[in-house]
Amino acid sequence: MKEWWIQVGLLGIPLLAVYLHIPPPQLSPELHSWKASGRFFTYKDRNIFYQDSWGAVGSSEIVVLLHGFPTSSYDWCKIWEGLTQRFHRVIALDFLGFGFSDKPRPHNYSIFEQASIVEGLLGHLGLQNQRINLLSHDYGDTVAQELLYRYKHNRTGRVLINSLCLSNGGIFPETHHPTLLQKLLKDGGLISPILTRLMNFFFFARGLAVVFGPYTRPSEAEMWDMWAGIRTNDGNLVIDSLLEYINQRKKHRDRWVGALASMAVPLHFIYGPLDPVNPHPEFMNLYRKMLPQSTVSILDDHISHYPQLEDPMGFLNAYLNFINSF
Ligand SMILES: *[C@@H]1O[C@H](CO)[C@@H](O)[C@H](O)[C@H]1NC(C)=O
Ligand SMILES: *[C@@H]1O[C@H](CO)[C@@H](O)[C@H](O)[C@H]1NC(C)=O
């Protein structure tokens, strides 16, 4: 019986490893092929993953997709095919700290840096003088707002924006209600590093399910794909640092809301109205009041915070109607 604690320890380590899913989950065949069809480019020594599909021959238009938190470019997989039938080029990236891109730690993640990465990608692809249609979601909305601000102010290296379509995102800090897990990770002080280490698939899936509509939750396999994207390069350990964007949105509210309000290019918003993070009608009322020049598509009542995954057809139709309207 002596040194019983060694035995407990030896038993405990594999149990903890199972709990924490060490090693990280394998990529599903779908996610693996998503990765295989993409590429990396280097932004200041960081590897950034992106997809660049050549599509419709009759068109010369380009769409760039900006994903949300805490997921990746894979969020666009259900509408990718549809977009390639309409656009000459469909481009999406994984922001720094997300998906297959590098996840440096410690690092002060910022919306400004992500916007510079988008500019860097377009420069890398030789598209800095082309007009770009931006389609964004959640975290990506804020990056799009910063790109818009730079565009408006004629910043060197700016993306030439042809149109902007936002979707469910906290563009107004005052109507944004982060989930409990987001709040804990962001403001948890000493708790957040522990939480990011203890977070496993079970807690992640529970936490993310609340931002999907009851009939449109991802399957278990789809949840695993999202989790595998986060776990790549130990991304769970940078989540608290990425969440700093919520504070940045508050701090730079006037810059970013102002960029939308004075927008001279076509603007649209696709909204899943069941979104607990940006609730209806509070959010939409403020949106219409602040941005009367924008058109809006409100999807079915049961669609929530991830409209492009929950209702890909509805989302795609809404977007193509917008694109075909100018
Ligand atoms: C992040 O920003 C803080 C405050 O500006 C600074 O003290 C710290 O060195 C920065 N960390 C890194 C990794 O750049
Ligand atoms: C940006 O450039 C345009 C065209 O050259 C000019 O009309 C506009 O005043 C400039 N805006 C700013 C903020 O400098």
Side-chain angles (χ1 to χ4, degrees):
M1 278 307 284
K2 72 178 173 188
E3 311 211 20
W4 56 271
W5 49 271
I6 295 181
Q7 295 177 24
V8 171
L10 288 178
L11 187 67
I13 289 165
L15 283 180
L16 192 65
V18 169
Y19 174 83
L20 295 176
H21 303 292
I22 300 168
Q26 294 277 312
L27 303 188
S28 68
E30 293 79 17
L31 194 54
H32 186 270
S33 86
W34 182 257
K35 187 179 182 188
S37 63
R39 288 194 192 151
F40 289 87
F41 89 106
T42 313
Y43 173 82
K44 295 191 176 165
D45 292 343
R46 312 286 190 200
N47 293 313
I48 303 295
F49 176 82
Y50 70 96
Q51 294 278 356
D52 175 13
S53 289
W54 292 63
V57 268
S59 163
S60 59
E61 288 169 289
I62 301 166
V63 63
V64 173
L65 311 173
L66 307 173
H67 71 79
F69 173 93
T71 41
S72 72
S73 60
Y74 194 54
D75 289 351
W76 306 112
C77 65
K78 293 188 181 178
I79 60 168
W80 195 265
E81 181 73 34
L83 289 172
T84 58
Q85 286 167 16
R86 173 64 177 76
F87 289 91
H88 175 54
R89 274 174 86 175
V90 184
I91 297 165
L93 76 163
D94 288 354
F95 290 125
L96 188 70
F98 296 85
F100 298 123
S101 290
D102 280 359
K103 298 172 180 173
R105 166 168 62 93
H107 184 75
N108 292 324
Y109 288 90
S110 89
I111 294 293
F112 299 103
E113 183 181 36
Q114 307 286 16
S116 300
I117 291 173
V118 176
E119 292 172 351
L121 173 60
L122 293 175
H124 172 75
L125 297 174
L127 298 174
Q128 59 274 64
N129 299 320
Q130 304 271 334
R131 300 196 78 79
I132 303 291
N133 300 289
L134 292 176
L135 172 55
S136 63
H137 174 236
D138 186 69
Y139 185 93
D141 289 345
T142 316
V143 179
Q145 287 169 271
E146 172 58 19
L147 290 170
L148 194 58
Y149 178 90
R150 295 181 186 186
Y151 174 59
K152 211 185 97 193
H153 288 82
N154 295 338
R155 293 278 177 90
T156 347
R158 73 199 190 280
V159 175
L160 299 179
I161 299 173
N162 191 48
S163 72
L164 171 59
C165 179
L166 307 155
S167 57
N168 294 56
I171 58 177
F172 307 116
E174 56 274 37
T175 60
H176 183 250
H177 303 273
T179 63
L180 178 63
L181 195 59
Q182 283 182 329
K183 279 188 206 147
L184 280 175
L185 287 169
K186 179 172 78 72
D187 302 319
L190 289 175
I191 302 178
S192 16
I194 300 173
L195 271 181
T196 56
R197 278 167 179 78
L198 288 184
M199 189 166 43
N200 66 6
F201 174 73
F202 178 78
F203 285 110
F204 165 75
R206 281 296 189 85
L208 200 67
V210 301
V211 300
F212 283 81
Y215 311 117
T216 50
R217 299 237 155 102
S219 67
E220 174 106 355
E222 289 169 335
M223 280 283 191
W224 272 107
D225 283 343
M226 293 179 183
W227 179 239
I230 291 172
R231 283 301 311 274
T232 301
N233 301 334
D234 290 330
N236 51 314
L237 303 184
V238 302
I239 279 198
D240 52 340
S241 179
L242 289 172
L243 275 166
E244 185 53 30
Y245 79 92
I246 294 180
N247 295 329
Q248 290 168 20
R249 268 184 191 158
K250 287 190 186 131
K251 188 167 166 200
H252 303 289
R253 182 197 182 278
D254 293 346
R255 175 188 180 104
W256 290 337
V257 175
L260 288 174
S262 60
M263 171 109 167
V265 300
L267 177 63
H268 192 67
F269 197 99
I270 303 178
Y271 185 49
L274 202 59
D275 189 349
V277 187
N278 306 286
H280 196 57
E282 191 190 354
F283 172 81
M284 207 18 88
N285 288 344
L286 184 61
Y287 185 87
R288 289 194 202 270
K289 188 171 146 226
M290 299 290 295
L291 304 168
Q293 83 280 23
S294 173
T295 49
V296 168
S297 299
I298 300 184
L299 301 178
D300 286 350
D301 290 348
H302 66 275
I303 303 301
S304 182
H305 183 66
Y306 270 90
Q308 75 278 48
L309 288 172
E310 297 180 57
D311 180 12
M313 279 316 289
F315 189 96
L316 186 64
N317 285 336
Y319 184 60
L320 295 181
N321 281 338
F322 164 63
I323 284 293
N324 294 333
S325 72
F326 56 87

mmCIF file of all heavy atoms in Angstrom, residues 146-183:
data_model
loop_
_atom_site.group_PDB
_atom_site.id
_atom_site.type_symbol
_atom_site.label_atom_id
_atom_site.label_comp_id
_atom_site.label_asym_id
_atom_site.label_seq_id
_atom_site.Cartn_x
_atom_site.Cartn_y
_atom_site.Cartn_z
ATOM 1 N N GLU A 146 -13.170 47.690 -39.600
ATOM 2 C CA GLU A 146 -11.849 48.325 -39.602
ATOM 3 C C GLU A 146 -11.351 48.495 -41.042
ATOM 4 O O GLU A 146 -10.784 49.536 -41.404
ATOM 5 C CB GLU A 146 -10.865 47.512 -38.757
ATOM 6 C CG GLU A 146 -9.409 47.960 -38.835
ATOM 7 C CD GLU A 146 -9.143 49.414 -38.424
ATOM 8 O OE1 GLU A 146 -9.986 50.027 -37.745
ATOM 9 O OE2 GLU A 146 -8.076 49.949 -38.817
ATOM 10 N N LEU A 147 -11.589 47.493 -41.888
ATOM 11 C CA LEU A 147 -11.170 47.610 -43.295
ATOM 12 C C LEU A 147 -11.904 48.762 -43.973
ATOM 13 O O LEU A 147 -11.336 49.506 -44.775
ATOM 14 C CB LEU A 147 -11.437 46.296 -44.043
ATOM 15 C CG LEU A 147 -10.530 45.121 -43.641
ATOM 16 C CD1 LEU A 147 -11.037 43.823 -44.254
ATOM 17 C CD2 LEU A 147 -9.079 45.383 -44.063
ATOM 18 N N LEU A 148 -13.171 48.906 -43.600
ATOM 19 C CA LEU A 148 -13.975 49.984 -44.156
ATOM 20 C C LEU A 148 -13.440 51.350 -43.723
ATOM 21 O O LEU A 148 -13.351 52.288 -44.519
ATOM 22 C CB LEU A 148 -15.402 49.786 -43.649
ATOM 23 C CG LEU A 148 -16.503 50.552 -44.316
ATOM 24 C CD1 LEU A 148 -16.548 50.229 -45.792
ATOM 25 C CD2 LEU A 148 -17.827 50.201 -43.654
ATOM 26 N N TYR A 149 -13.081 51.425 -42.452
ATOM 27 C CA TYR A 149 -12.509 52.663 -41.924
ATOM 28 C C TYR A 149 -11.241 53.034 -42.709
ATOM 29 O O TYR A 149 -11.058 54.186 -43.114
ATOM 30 C CB TYR A 149 -12.190 52.484 -40.434
ATOM 31 C CG TYR A 149 -11.555 53.704 -39.818
ATOM 32 C CD1 TYR A 149 -12.326 54.718 -39.248
ATOM 33 C CD2 TYR A 149 -10.166 53.863 -39.823
ATOM 34 C CE1 TYR A 149 -11.743 55.850 -38.705
ATOM 35 C CE2 TYR A 149 -9.575 54.994 -39.283
ATOM 36 C CZ TYR A 149 -10.370 55.989 -38.723
ATOM 37 O OH TYR A 149 -9.794 57.113 -38.197
ATOM 38 N N ARG A 150 -10.395 52.055 -42.941
ATOM 39 C CA ARG A 150 -9.137 52.315 -43.673
ATOM 40 C C ARG A 150 -9.420 52.699 -45.118
ATOM 41 O O ARG A 150 -8.732 53.539 -45.695
ATOM 42 C CB ARG A 150 -8.242 51.075 -43.635
ATOM 43 C CG ARG A 150 -7.778 50.751 -42.231
ATOM 44 C CD ARG A 150 -6.884 49.528 -42.247
ATOM 45 N NE ARG A 150 -6.557 49.139 -40.885
ATOM 46 C CZ ARG A 150 -5.709 48.187 -40.561
ATOM 47 N NH1 ARG A 150 -5.097 47.507 -41.523
ATOM 48 N NH2 ARG A 150 -5.459 47.894 -39.316
ATOM 49 N N TYR A 151 -10.420 52.053 -45.679
ATOM 50 C CA TYR A 151 -10.803 52.360 -47.061
ATOM 51 C C TYR A 151 -11.257 53.811 -47.166
ATOM 52 O O TYR A 151 -10.820 54.561 -48.035
ATOM 53 C CB TYR A 151 -11.918 51.400 -47.487
ATOM 54 C CG TYR A 151 -12.510 51.703 -48.847
ATOM 55 C CD1 TYR A 151 -11.710 51.700 -49.982
ATOM 56 C CD2 TYR A 151 -13.864 51.984 -48.975
ATOM 57 C CE1 TYR A 151 -12.251 51.978 -51.229
ATOM 58 C CE2 TYR A 151 -14.418 52.260 -50.219
ATOM 59 C CZ TYR A 151 -13.598 52.258 -51.345
ATOM 60 O OH TYR A 151 -14.139 52.545 -52.566
ATOM 61 N N LYS A 152 -12.120 54.175 -46.223
ATOM 62 C CA LYS A 152 -12.671 55.528 -46.223
ATOM 63 C C LYS A 152 -11.572 56.580 -46.048
ATOM 64 O O LYS A 152 -11.654 57.664 -46.606
ATOM 65 C CB LYS A 152 -13.660 55.631 -45.060
ATOM 66 C CG LYS A 152 -14.803 56.567 -45.305
ATOM 67 C CD LYS A 152 -15.654 56.686 -44.065
ATOM 68 C CE LYS A 152 -15.284 57.918 -43.268
ATOM 69 N NZ LYS A 152 -15.864 57.923 -41.929
ATOM 70 N N HIS A 153 -10.557 56.237 -45.279
ATOM 71 C CA HIS A 153 -9.487 57.203 -45.005
ATOM 72 C C HIS A 153 -8.299 57.055 -45.954
ATOM 73 O O HIS A 153 -7.224 57.590 -45.675
ATOM 74 C CB HIS A 153 -9.035 57.097 -43.551
ATOM 75 C CG HIS A 153 -10.071 57.642 -42.611
ATOM 76 N ND1 HIS A 153 -11.152 56.898 -42.201
ATOM 77 C CD2 HIS A 153 -10.226 58.861 -42.060
ATOM 78 C CE1 HIS A 153 -11.915 57.635 -41.412
ATOM 79 N NE2 HIS A 153 -11.372 58.837 -41.312
ATOM 80 N N ASN A 154 -8.506 56.335 -47.042
ATOM 81 C CA ASN A 154 -7.467 56.213 -48.075
ATOM 82 C C ASN A 154 -6.132 55.739 -47.522
ATOM 83 O O ASN A 154 -5.083 56.177 -47.970
ATOM 84 C CB ASN A 154 -7.246 57.567 -48.775
ATOM 85 C CG ASN A 154 -8.478 58.014 -49.544
ATOM 86 O OD1 ASN A 154 -9.330 57.197 -49.909
ATOM 87 N ND2 ASN A 154 -8.581 59.304 -49.794
ATOM 88 N N ARG A 155 -6.172 54.833 -46.525
ATOM 89 C CA ARG A 155 -4.917 54.320 -45.979
ATOM 90 C C ARG A 155 -4.149 53.541 -47.046
ATOM 91 O O ARG A 155 -4.752 52.811 -47.828
ATOM 92 C CB ARG A 155 -5.206 53.366 -44.819
ATOM 93 C CG ARG A 155 -5.790 54.013 -43.605
ATOM 94 C CD ARG A 155 -4.700 54.637 -42.767
ATOM 95 N NE ARG A 155 -5.277 55.318 -41.619
ATOM 96 C CZ ARG A 155 -5.489 54.727 -40.447
ATOM 97 N NH1 ARG A 155 -5.170 53.466 -40.262
ATOM 98 N NH2 ARG A 155 -6.007 55.406 -39.449
ATOM 99 N N THR A 156 -2.819 53.652 -47.012
ATOM 100 C CA THR A 156 -2.008 52.871 -47.952
ATOM 101 C C THR A 156 -2.251 51.384 -47.704
ATOM 102 O O THR A 156 -2.346 50.955 -46.556
ATOM 103 C CB THR A 156 -0.490 53.105 -47.704
ATOM 104 O OG1 THR A 156 -0.342 54.214 -46.857
ATOM 105 C CG2 THR A 156 0.297 53.183 -48.963
ATOM 106 N N GLY A 157 -2.346 50.620 -48.769
ATOM 107 C CA GLY A 157 -2.531 49.174 -48.648
ATOM 108 C C GLY A 157 -3.962 48.769 -48.370
ATOM 109 O O GLY A 157 -4.250 47.597 -48.174
ATOM 110 N N ARG A 158 -4.855 49.750 -48.387
ATOM 111 C CA ARG A 158 -6.246 49.440 -48.039
ATOM 112 C C ARG A 158 -6.901 48.518 -49.063
ATOM 113 O O ARG A 158 -6.505 48.475 -50.224
ATOM 114 C CB ARG A 158 -7.063 50.727 -47.934
ATOM 115 C CG ARG A 158 -7.360 51.363 -49.294
ATOM 116 C CD ARG A 158 -7.746 52.820 -49.125
ATOM 117 N NE ARG A 158 -8.260 53.408 -50.355
ATOM 118 C CZ ARG A 158 -7.497 53.840 -51.359
ATOM 119 N NH1 ARG A 158 -6.182 53.724 -51.278
ATOM 120 N NH2 ARG A 158 -8.040 54.377 -52.425
ATOM 121 N N VAL A 159 -7.905 47.798 -48.592
ATOM 122 C CA VAL A 159 -8.692 46.958 -49.484
ATOM 123 C C VAL A 159 -9.714 47.858 -50.179
ATOM 124 O O VAL A 159 -10.388 48.663 -49.526
ATOM 125 C CB VAL A 159 -9.420 45.859 -48.670
ATOM 126 C CG1 VAL A 159 -10.348 45.044 -49.559
ATOM 127 C CG2 VAL A 159 -8.415 44.958 -47.971
ATOM 128 N N LEU A 160 -9.823 47.741 -51.493
ATOM 129 C CA LEU A 160 -10.798 48.544 -52.236
ATOM 130 C C LEU A 160 -12.152 47.845 -52.146
ATOM 131 O O LEU A 160 -12.380 46.822 -52.791
ATOM 132 C CB LEU A 160 -10.370 48.683 -53.698
ATOM 133 C CG LEU A 160 -9.038 49.381 -53.939
ATOM 134 C CD1 LEU A 160 -8.718 49.429 -55.428
ATOM 135 C CD2 LEU A 160 -9.064 50.798 -53.350
ATOM 136 N N ILE A 161 -13.014 48.381 -51.323
ATOM 137 C CA ILE A 161 -14.262 47.674 -51.015
ATOM 138 C C ILE A 161 -15.351 48.037 -52.019
ATOM 139 O O ILE A 161 -15.660 49.218 -52.230
ATOM 140 C CB ILE A 161 -14.697 47.982 -49.566
ATOM 141 C CG1 ILE A 161 -13.601 47.502 -48.610
ATOM 142 C CG2 ILE A 161 -16.026 47.305 -49.249
ATOM 143 C CD1 ILE A 161 -13.819 47.894 -47.164
ATOM 144 N N ASN A 162 -15.921 47.011 -52.633
ATOM 145 C CA ASN A 162 -16.991 47.203 -53.603
ATOM 146 C C ASN A 162 -18.353 47.140 -52.916
ATOM 147 O O ASN A 162 -19.278 47.872 -53.280
ATOM 148 C CB ASN A 162 -16.899 46.113 -54.668
ATOM 149 C CG ASN A 162 -17.784 46.388 -55.844
ATOM 150 O OD1 ASN A 162 -17.773 47.503 -56.373
ATOM 151 N ND2 ASN A 162 -18.575 45.407 -56.245
ATOM 152 N N SER A 163 -18.482 46.245 -51.936
ATOM 153 C CA SER A 163 -19.718 46.116 -51.170
ATOM 154 C C SER A 163 -19.376 45.407 -49.869
ATOM 155 O O SER A 163 -18.331 44.759 -49.766
ATOM 156 C CB SER A 163 -20.757 45.294 -51.932
ATOM 157 O OG SER A 163 -20.385 43.925 -51.944
ATOM 158 N N LEU A 164 -20.281 45.546 -48.901
ATOM 159 C CA LEU A 164 -20.089 44.861 -47.621
ATOM 160 C C LEU A 164 -21.394 44.231 -47.181
ATOM 161 O O LEU A 164 -22.435 44.898 -47.152
ATOM 162 C CB LEU A 164 -19.598 45.852 -46.552
ATOM 163 C CG LEU A 164 -19.553 45.333 -45.114
ATOM 164 C CD1 LEU A 164 -18.643 44.114 -44.974
ATOM 165 C CD2 LEU A 164 -19.087 46.433 -44.159
ATOM 166 N N CYS A 165 -21.333 42.949 -46.870
ATOM 167 C CA CYS A 165 -22.483 42.262 -46.276
ATOM 168 C C CYS A 165 -22.047 41.694 -44.933
ATOM 169 O O CYS A 165 -21.141 40.869 -44.861
ATOM 170 C CB CYS A 165 -22.985 41.148 -47.190
ATOM 171 S SG CYS A 165 -24.378 40.249 -46.484
ATOM 172 N N LEU A 166 -22.702 42.184 -43.867
ATOM 173 C CA LEU A 166 -22.425 41.700 -42.518
ATOM 174 C C LEU A 166 -23.454 40.624 -42.173
ATOM 175 O O LEU A 166 -24.517 40.555 -42.795
ATOM 176 C CB LEU A 166 -22.561 42.851 -41.519
ATOM 177 C CG LEU A 166 -21.777 44.136 -41.795
ATOM 178 C CD1 LEU A 166 -22.461 45.329 -41.125
ATOM 179 C CD2 LEU A 166 -20.354 43.998 -41.289
ATOM 180 N N SER A 167 -23.147 39.788 -41.175
ATOM 181 C CA SER A 167 -24.171 38.914 -40.620
ATOM 182 C C SER A 167 -23.923 38.812 -39.120
ATOM 183 O O SER A 167 -22.901 39.286 -38.636
ATOM 184 C CB SER A 167 -24.144 37.550 -41.300
ATOM 185 O OG SER A 167 -22.880 36.947 -41.188
ATOM 186 N N ASN A 168 -24.859 38.172 -38.418
ATOM 187 C CA ASN A 168 -24.912 38.174 -36.955
ATOM 188 C C ASN A 168 -23.582 38.468 -36.262
ATOM 189 O O ASN A 168 -22.708 37.589 -36.184
ATOM 190 C CB ASN A 168 -25.445 36.830 -36.458
ATOM 191 C CG ASN A 168 -26.885 36.614 -36.864
ATOM 192 O OD1 ASN A 168 -27.202 36.680 -38.052
ATOM 193 N ND2 ASN A 168 -27.751 36.397 -35.902
ATOM 194 N N GLY A 169 -23.464 39.666 -35.767
ATOM 195 C CA GLY A 169 -22.249 40.050 -35.058
ATOM 196 C C GLY A 169 -22.529 41.254 -34.174
ATOM 197 O O GLY A 169 -23.471 42.003 -34.424
ATOM 198 N N GLY A 170 -21.690 41.428 -33.165
ATOM 199 C CA GLY A 170 -21.930 42.482 -32.177
ATOM 200 C C GLY A 170 -21.398 43.824 -32.622
ATOM 201 O O GLY A 170 -20.499 44.369 -32.007
ATOM 202 N N ILE A 171 -21.963 44.346 -33.691
ATOM 203 C CA ILE A 171 -21.408 45.601 -34.182
ATOM 204 C C ILE A 171 -21.756 46.784 -33.276
ATOM 205 O O ILE A 171 -21.083 47.796 -33.321
ATOM 206 C CB ILE A 171 -21.785 45.889 -35.655
ATOM 207 C CG1 ILE A 171 -23.276 45.930 -35.819
ATOM 208 C CG2 ILE A 171 -21.191 44.859 -36.595
ATOM 209 C CD1 ILE A 171 -23.677 46.279 -37.236
ATOM 210 N N PHE A 172 -22.790 46.612 -32.443
ATOM 211 C CA PHE A 172 -23.080 47.631 -31.424
ATOM 212 C C PHE A 172 -22.811 47.023 -30.052
ATOM 213 O O PHE A 172 -23.566 46.159 -29.613
ATOM 214 C CB PHE A 172 -24.544 48.078 -31.480
ATOM 215 C CG PHE A 172 -24.973 48.521 -32.844
ATOM 216 C CD1 PHE A 172 -25.946 47.813 -33.529
ATOM 217 C CD2 PHE A 172 -24.411 49.643 -33.435
ATOM 218 C CE1 PHE A 172 -26.346 48.216 -34.793
ATOM 219 C CE2 PHE A 172 -24.816 50.047 -34.690
ATOM 220 C CZ PHE A 172 -25.782 49.328 -35.375
ATOM 221 N N PRO A 173 -21.749 47.501 -29.378
ATOM 222 C CA PRO A 173 -21.446 46.930 -28.063
ATOM 223 C C PRO A 173 -22.657 46.983 -27.127
ATOM 224 O O PRO A 173 -22.841 46.098 -26.293
ATOM 225 C CB PRO A 173 -20.312 47.824 -27.540
ATOM 226 C CG PRO A 173 -19.694 48.420 -28.757
ATOM 227 C CD PRO A 173 -20.787 48.512 -29.786
ATOM 228 N N GLU A 174 -23.525 48.003 -27.302
ATOM 229 C CA GLU A 174 -24.634 48.169 -26.358
ATOM 230 C C GLU A 174 -25.737 47.124 -26.502
ATOM 231 O O GLU A 174 -26.528 46.918 -25.589
ATOM 232 C CB GLU A 174 -25.209 49.590 -26.429
ATOM 233 C CG GLU A 174 -25.674 50.063 -27.803
ATOM 234 C CD GLU A 174 -24.549 50.676 -28.659
ATOM 235 O OE1 GLU A 174 -23.407 50.178 -28.603
ATOM 236 O OE2 GLU A 174 -24.840 51.637 -29.399
ATOM 237 N N THR A 175 -25.817 46.447 -27.656
ATOM 238 C CA THR A 175 -26.835 45.395 -27.775
ATOM 239 C C THR A 175 -26.181 44.017 -27.875
ATOM 240 O O THR A 175 -26.789 43.064 -28.329
ATOM 241 C CB THR A 175 -27.741 45.593 -29.012
ATOM 242 O OG1 THR A 175 -26.925 45.558 -30.195
ATOM 243 C CG2 THR A 175 -28.472 46.914 -28.974
ATOM 244 N N HIS A 176 -24.933 43.930 -27.449
ATOM 245 C CA HIS A 176 -24.198 42.675 -27.551
ATOM 246 C C HIS A 176 -24.190 41.974 -26.203
ATOM 247 O O HIS A 176 -23.823 42.559 -25.195
ATOM 248 C CB HIS A 176 -22.762 42.973 -28.005
ATOM 249 C CG HIS A 176 -21.919 41.755 -28.213
ATOM 250 N ND1 HIS A 176 -20.882 41.433 -27.374
ATOM 251 C CD2 HIS A 176 -21.964 40.786 -29.152
ATOM 252 C CE1 HIS A 176 -20.308 40.308 -27.801
ATOM 253 N NE2 HIS A 176 -20.954 39.902 -28.879
ATOM 254 N N HIS A 177 -24.648 40.732 -26.184
ATOM 255 C CA HIS A 177 -24.706 39.971 -24.940
ATOM 256 C C HIS A 177 -23.859 38.712 -25.070
ATOM 257 O O HIS A 177 -24.349 37.685 -25.518
ATOM 258 C CB HIS A 177 -26.152 39.579 -24.624
ATOM 259 C CG HIS A 177 -27.065 40.770 -24.544
ATOM 260 N ND1 HIS A 177 -27.247 41.486 -23.385
ATOM 261 C CD2 HIS A 177 -27.828 41.393 -25.488
ATOM 262 C CE1 HIS A 177 -28.091 42.497 -23.611
ATOM 263 N NE2 HIS A 177 -28.453 42.460 -24.883
ATOM 264 N N PRO A 178 -22.572 38.792 -24.670
ATOM 265 C CA PRO A 178 -21.706 37.624 -24.806
ATOM 266 C C PRO A 178 -22.233 36.449 -23.979
ATOM 267 O O PRO A 178 -22.942 36.667 -22.983
ATOM 268 C CB PRO A 178 -20.359 38.101 -24.249
ATOM 269 C CG PRO A 178 -20.477 39.548 -23.991
ATOM 270 C CD PRO A 178 -21.901 39.944 -24.049
ATOM 271 N N THR A 179 -21.912 35.236 -24.387
ATOM 272 C CA THR A 179 -22.344 34.063 -23.618
ATOM 273 C C THR A 179 -21.553 34.007 -22.312
ATOM 274 O O THR A 179 -20.511 34.639 -22.162
ATOM 275 C CB THR A 179 -22.099 32.763 -24.405
ATOM 276 O OG1 THR A 179 -20.688 32.627 -24.606
ATOM 277 C CG2 THR A 179 -22.785 32.790 -25.762
ATOM 278 N N LEU A 180 -22.071 33.214 -21.384
ATOM 279 C CA LEU A 180 -21.432 33.089 -20.068
ATOM 280 C C LEU A 180 -19.974 32.638 -20.209
ATOM 281 O O LEU A 180 -19.075 33.180 -19.564
ATOM 282 C CB LEU A 180 -22.217 32.086 -19.220
ATOM 283 C CG LEU A 180 -21.635 31.825 -17.824
ATOM 284 C CD1 LEU A 180 -21.663 33.091 -16.979
ATOM 285 C CD2 LEU A 180 -22.387 30.699 -17.132
ATOM 286 N N LEU A 181 -19.760 31.682 -21.095
ATOM 287 C CA LEU A 181 -18.405 31.160 -21.278
ATOM 288 C C LEU A 181 -17.472 32.263 -21.804
ATOM 289 O O LEU A 181 -16.336 32.399 -21.359
ATOM 290 C CB LEU A 181 -18.437 29.975 -22.254
ATOM 291 C CG LEU A 181 -17.193 29.096 -22.286
ATOM 292 C CD1 LEU A 181 -16.899 28.498 -20.916
ATOM 293 C CD2 LEU A 181 -17.351 27.982 -23.311
ATOM 294 N N GLN A 182 -17.988 33.076 -22.716
ATOM 295 C CA GLN A 182 -17.181 34.185 -23.241
ATOM 296 C C GLN A 182 -16.827 35.156 -22.126
ATOM 297 O O GLN A 182 -15.698 35.624 -22.031
ATOM 298 C CB GLN A 182 -17.953 34.937 -24.328
ATOM 299 C CG GLN A 182 -17.990 34.217 -25.669
ATOM 300 C CD GLN A 182 -18.722 35.018 -26.730
ATOM 301 O OE1 GLN A 182 -19.638 35.771 -26.428
ATOM 302 N NE2 GLN A 182 -18.324 34.865 -27.973
ATOM 303 N N LYS A 183 -17.823 35.449 -21.258
ATOM 304 C CA LYS A 183 -17.570 36.403 -20.170
ATOM 305 C C LYS A 183 -16.526 35.856 -19.214
ATOM 306 O O LYS A 183 -15.616 36.566 -18.786
ATOM 307 C CB LYS A 183 -18.865 36.675 -19.406
ATOM 308 C CG LYS A 183 -19.760 37.676 -20.089
ATOM 309 C CD LYS A 183 -20.910 38.030 -19.159
ATOM 310 C CE LYS A 183 -22.108 38.475 -19.945
ATOM 311 N NZ LYS A 183 -23.377 38.128 -19.352
#
